[in-house]
């Protein structure tokens, strides 16, 4: 342990704090520093007079510190009155003294410039830290406002007793709800009527195959047992053969093709469907046909 280590806690290897190069600021105080300076008071309460020094009361707030720029400090550095070449003509002791003074001035100038760079980096870091803190503060304030708005929107017991748990609809909302219900009811009725018309149309197409008179019954029996007997047997045999064969999937394909065709064209087993009947009754089909013929004739001519 070296000499004088006890004042540093008796720990060896700890150096004292470096002496500050600039005792005064080298630039004007920014807004953050000015706010901190204004916040610092002398410590005397309001109404209590501050002590007098040299007949003047101490100010409650310290005035802003004066600053000296690095350029002004460099201007006040005292260099020897001669150059290095002129120093070489002097006696050895005098020459060495002048050179030491010259290099001390150069080292001091370099120290000023390096310290200025270091303080600039510190200012930039402080500014970035301050911006991050302000951003966090703004985010915290926004979250706090959002939480307070949510809490304020929560119903209280007094509010529930006065206004009720459910808000009453305004006259405009009631009228809108009434019209919406009417629209839903009419849409449902229209859908039911269309389904009924679709079933009636399917029944109409199927009725073409119904036997309603004795003459039709006798003709059907005659055709089944006399005319189409051989055709029925051959068809039955071919169907059984196709079902037993591995290529029975084509029958499903044919059925699917018929269903797809009916769905695309709006037909029922290859016959006009409800949409086609609507187009015929409304005249849309005839109008479309005429427009197509007109367009075709214009293209030809």
């Amino acid at each position: 342990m070296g000499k004088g280590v006890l004042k540093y806690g008796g720990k060896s290897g700890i150096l004292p704090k470096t002496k500050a190069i600039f005792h005064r600021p080298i630039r004007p105080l920014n807004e953050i520093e000015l706010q901190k300076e204004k916040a610092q008071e002398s410590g005397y309460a309001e109404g209590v007079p501050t002590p007098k020094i040299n007949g003047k009361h101490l100010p409650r707030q310290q005035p802003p510190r004066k600053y000296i720029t690095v350029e002004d400090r460099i201007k006040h550095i005292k260099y020897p009155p001669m150059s290095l070449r002129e120093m070489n003509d002097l006696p050895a002791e005098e020459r060495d003294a002048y050179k030491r003074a010259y290099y001390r001035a150069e080292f001091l100038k370099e120290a000023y410039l390096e310290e200025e760079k270091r303080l600039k980096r510190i200012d930039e870091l402080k500014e970035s830290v301050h911006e991050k803190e302000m951003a966090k503060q703004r985010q915290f304030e926004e979250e706090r406002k959002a939480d307070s708005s949510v809490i304020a929107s929560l119903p209280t017991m007094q509010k529930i007793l006065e206004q009720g748990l459910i808000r009453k609809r305004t006259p405009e909302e009631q009228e809108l709800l009434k019209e919406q219900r009417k629209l839903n009811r009419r849409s449902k009725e229209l859908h039911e009527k269309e389904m009924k018309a679709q079933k009636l149309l399917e029944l109409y197409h199927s009725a073409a195959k119904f036997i309603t008179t004795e003459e039709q019954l006798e003709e059907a029996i005659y055709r089944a047992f006399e005319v189409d007997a051989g055709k029925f047997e051959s068809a039955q045999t071919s169907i059984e053969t196709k079902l037993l064969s591995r290529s029975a999937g084509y029958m499903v394909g044919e059925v699917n093709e018929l269903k797809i065709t009916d769905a695309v064209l709006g037909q029922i087993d290859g016959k006009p469907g409800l949409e086609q009947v609507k187009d015929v009754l409304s005249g849309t089909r005839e109008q479309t046909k005429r427009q197509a013929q007109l367009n075709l004739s214009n293209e030809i001519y």
Side-chain angles (χ1 to χ4, degrees), residues 104-149:
R104 276 198 302 269
E106 283 292 322
F107 291 153
L108 183 59
K109 178 182 177 181
E110 185 178 353
Y112 281 170
L113 296 176
E114 291 295 328
E115 184 68 8
E116 183 184 16
K117 293 179 182 178
R118 189 182 72 85
L119 293 178
K120 282 184 178 180
R121 289 196 297 269
I122 292 175
D123 291 339
E124 292 174 357
L125 291 174
K126 286 183 178 180
E127 186 177 358
S128 63
V129 170
H130 178 70
E131 290 178 356
K132 290 180 180 179
E133 290 179 353
M134 293 299 294
K136 289 182 180 179
Q137 185 67 21
R138 287 193 295 269
Q139 184 179 1
F140 174 75
E141 291 293 333
E142 291 176 358
E143 292 176 355
R144 187 177 63 81
K145 288 181 181 178
D147 294 340
S148 62
S149 62

Side-chain angles (χ1 to χ4, degrees), residues 36 69 83 131 146 188 212 225 232 240 248 296:
K36 290 182 179 180
T69 61
S83 63
E131 290 178 356
K188 185 178 180 182
T212 56
F225 290 97
F232 176 76
E240 291 177 355
L296 182 61

Side-chain angles (χ1 to χ4, degrees), residues 145-240:
K145 288 181 181 178
D147 294 340
S148 62
S149 62
V150 171
I151 293 172
S153 63
L154 294 176
T156 59
M157 292 299 298
Q158 186 66 25
K159 190 175 181 180
I160 292 173
L161 292 175
E162 292 177 356
Q163 301 179 1
L165 188 60
I166 301 175
R167 181 182 65 84
K168 294 182 180 180
R169 291 189 177 93
T170 61
E172 292 79 8
E173 291 176 346
Q174 291 179 356
E175 188 67 24
L176 181 62
L177 180 62
K178 184 178 178 181
E179 294 296 329
Q180 186 66 36
R181 287 175 177 173
K182 188 186 296 184
L183 176 62
N184 294 339
R185 184 175 64 254
R186 290 181 177 177
S187 299
K188 185 178 180 182
E189 291 175 356
L190 177 62
H191 179 68
E192 291 176 354
K193 289 180 180 180
E194 286 183 349
M195 293 298 296
K196 186 176 180 180
Q198 181 76 13
K199 291 180 180 179
L200 288 174
L201 189 59
E202 292 177 0
L203 180 61
Y204 172 77
H205 290 315
S206 301
K209 302 177 182 179
F210 291 171
I211 298 174
T212 56
T213 61
E214 293 183 2
E215 291 79 5
Q216 292 177 353
L217 178 60
E218 291 177 357
E219 184 180 358
I221 293 172
Y222 173 75
R223 292 181 63 85
F225 290 97
E226 299 294 338
V227 179
D228 298 334
K231 188 187 296 184
F232 176 76
E233 291 177 357
S234 62
Q236 185 179 9
T237 305
S238 62
I239 289 172
E240 291 177 355

